[in-house]
Amino acid sequence: MTVVFEDFYKNVPEEHKSFVSSLHKQLTKQGCTVNIKEAKHGHTASYLLNRKTIMKWVFQKSGITAQIYGDNLKQYEKVITALPVNMHAKMKKSRDCRCLSSSGCNATSIKGLIFELDNHTYMKCRYHGMFFLLTEQSGQYIEKLVTEELKARQ
């Protein structure tokens, strides 16, 4: 059976439905395709441009989270700097990228994110470096990060 956006959307908490729907429309209007898959805590919704993921919605015990693939992070570092303290803390605590460190990683793995915060350079995993819980406060920042990444890829 084919899984569609509505299967994912019906599990989005009521307080986030409007935001998730608006961002969905914005991304699909700009040429992104949506890939919905079943996962442990519900469906995931991945947004791809030219077959490369820009962001993914993931359900977790804590709520719905946005996993943003900031491949072009250097082009919008000012947006990263402007994030609230709690989002900075999440980025700083995220898993370090083994590909960028001396310990190495899988040869086929995509390199992680390199960014500056508080006069320190961080090298974080691409899959965990920008992984934010959707809240009333974080929504506007998630949208800004996703739209900046989309612009950088177009």
Side-chain angles (χ1 to χ4, degrees), residues 90-108:
K90 179 82 169 126
M91 290 177 74
K92 291 175 185 178
K93 284 190 242 175
S94 67
R95 187 179 306 165
D96 288 334
C97 177
R98 294 187 300 175
C99 289
L100 294 171
S101 70
S102 59
S103 64
C105 193
N106 182 330
T108 61

Side-chain angles (χ1 to χ4, degrees), residues 54-56 66-70 126 130-132 142 145-146:
I54 289 180
M55 69 99 49
K56 181 190 297 184
Q67 184 177 19
I68 303 164
Y69 297 88
R126 176 180 191 259
M130 292 199 295
F131 199 67
F132 304 113
I142 290 169
L145 288 167
V146 171

Side-chain angles (χ1 to χ4, degrees), residues 41-135:
H41 295 289
H43 296 90
T44 63
S46 300
Y47 292 85
L48 299 89
L49 184 68
N50 300 324
R51 298 183 306 180
K52 296 194 184 231
T53 306
I54 289 180
M55 69 99 49
K56 181 190 297 184
W57 288 118
V58 180
F59 288 108
Q60 295 187 315
K61 288 180 184 178
S62 57
I64 186 169
T65 55
Q67 184 177 19
I68 303 164
Y69 297 88
D71 296 349
N72 299 287
L73 188 68
K74 288 286 183 200
Q75 294 180 36
Y76 51 94
E77 280 185 322
K78 288 183 180 183
V79 175
I80 298 296
T81 306
L83 295 175
V85 174
N86 63 332
M87 291 177 85
H88 280 175
K90 179 82 169 126
M91 290 177 74
K92 291 175 185 178
K93 284 190 242 175
S94 67
R95 187 179 306 165
D96 288 334
C97 177
R98 294 187 300 175
C99 289
L100 294 171
S101 70
S102 59
S103 64
C105 193
N106 182 330
T108 61
S109 182
I110 297 171
K111 302 285 188 254
L113 309 172
I114 300 173
F115 57 91
E116 287 268 337
L117 281 177
D118 303 328
N119 296 318
H120 186 272
T121 301
Y122 293 90
M123 296 184 292
K124 297 299 181 174
C125 176
R126 176 180 191 259
Y127 303 104
H128 298 94
M130 292 199 295
F131 199 67
F132 304 113
L133 180 66
L134 178 59
T135 64

